[in-house]
Amino acid sequence: MTANPTACLLIIGNEVLSGRTRDANLQFLATRLGEIGIPMREARVIPDVEDTIIATVNECRARFTHVFTTGGIGPTHDDITSECVAKAFGVPWEVHEETRAIMAADYARRDPPVEMNAARLRMATLPRGAVPIRCGETTAPGFSMENVHVMAGVPRIMRSMFEALAPGLAGGQPIRSHTVHADYVYEGQIAEGLAAIQAQYPALDLGSYPYYRGKGGGVALVAKGTDGAAVEAAAAACLALLARFGEAREGEPAPE
């Protein structure tokens, strides 16, 4: 079986590192990429620092099938992701005329009209050779440079850009997942048994996730992988393991 392609996410922005903004994109992207068979293998949060962005993009695009970035493609001085990607690829950062025309027409239609000023022109300035990612939320695009896909940080815009991009991504086998849980059962009780199940299914990812509810808690066990039959078998083994110590149930624990 051919190995699935892999993905890395670079979350770019001082505001995330400072705690000013809470990232809302990682979970969405990891879930959607898994659905199309491109498991996310790494995610990093990096600052709006030119040398860091360039070095990280170049490192990750050599290691992963796809690199996705979020943040730093707006109109202000600290939105430097686009020009940094141009430098990472060694190409000019220049006005993309088709994009400029689309954005200018959009701004002119508004009531009142919006000026296509120098700040907004930055959002129409792309690395030479970039393929714009156009979506329904904005006429200011993201873009792809080879295996690097640059998207907005605003969650609703990022999601729209990703859905526009997704049909063109060559994926692999979808990642299957099956969760079981038990209240008042704890990781220390099931650790040895879970290790034995993992050894039996080395190609799967088996995760153990404790939770706390009111006066007590429990543990959820999750089997993930591309082999659906193996996932189901491992989940059944996890359910039987939990049942040795408490009342085991299918699915996620009830929300707090």
Side-chain angles (χ1 to χ4, degrees):
M1 182 181 295
T2 303
N4 275 21
T6 57
C8 175
L9 171 62
L10 305 181
I11 301 164
I12 301 173
N14 293 338
E15 68 277 11
V16 178
L17 286 168
S18 70
R20 169 70 176 76
T21 299
R22 176 181 296 180
D23 173 72
N25 295 324
L26 172 57
Q27 183 179 25
F28 170 83
L29 282 169
T31 301
R32 284 290 290 115
L33 286 167
E35 290 171 353
I36 59 178
I38 308 176
M40 187 180 293
R41 294 304 186 203
E42 194 169 299
R44 304 187 191 184
V45 184
I46 61 174
D48 299 304
V49 174
E50 181 177 298
D51 289 348
T52 301
I53 296 172
I54 293 170
T56 307
V57 166
N58 278 333
E59 176 196 345
C60 293
R61 72 187 177 99
R63 290 180 53 208
F64 299 95
T65 314
H66 297 282
V67 178
F68 299 87
T69 79
T70 60
I73 58 171
T76 59
H77 72 282
D78 58 345
D79 290 316
I80 61 172
T81 299
S82 179
E83 55 197 289
C84 288
V85 170
K87 290 180 180 180
F89 279 86
V91 299
W93 189 57
E94 58 192 13
V95 174
H96 189 269
E97 182 53 35
E98 179 186 20
T99 296
R100 185 209 62 77
I102 290 171
M103 291 177 63
D106 173 41
Y107 293 152
R109 284 193 297 267
R110 298 186 187 184
D111 186 17
V114 174
E115 178 188 4
M116 184 64 172
N117 58 21
R120 295 186 177 100
L121 188 62
R122 288 177 57 83
M123 295 187 290
T125 306
L126 308 178
R128 181 180 293 176
V131 178
I133 303 171
R134 305 203 187 279
C135 71
E137 291 289 337
T138 177
T139 53
F143 64 87
S144 295
M145 278 292 289
E146 297 181 10
N147 65 330
V148 178
H149 312 290
V150 177
M151 299 182 294
V154 177
R156 78 180 158 78
I157 300 176
M158 183 282 299
R159 294 179 184 193
S160 183
M161 286 182 176
F162 179 80
E163 296 302 347
L165 177 66
L169 296 174
Q173 293 294 317
I175 309 301
R176 310 295 184 185
S177 177
H178 192 140
T179 303
V180 296
H181 74 280
D183 293 340
Y184 309 114
V185 175
Y186 302 100
E187 287 186 303
Q189 295 171 285
I190 54 88
E192 184 178 352
L194 185 62
I197 298 170
Q198 180 69 84
Q200 187 178 357
Y201 299 95
L204 301 183
D205 292 326
L206 296 185
S208 172
Y209 305 96
Y211 57 87
Y212 303 93
R213 302 287 187 273
K215 295 181 179 179
V219 64
L221 303 180
V222 182
K224 287 186 178 182
T226 57
D227 184 336
V231 167
E232 294 306 310
C238 288
L239 191 69
L241 172 64
L242 292 175
R244 289 166 49 193
F245 301 97
E247 185 178 352
R249 299 183 179 92
E250 290 281 352
E252 297 283 352
E256 294 185 68

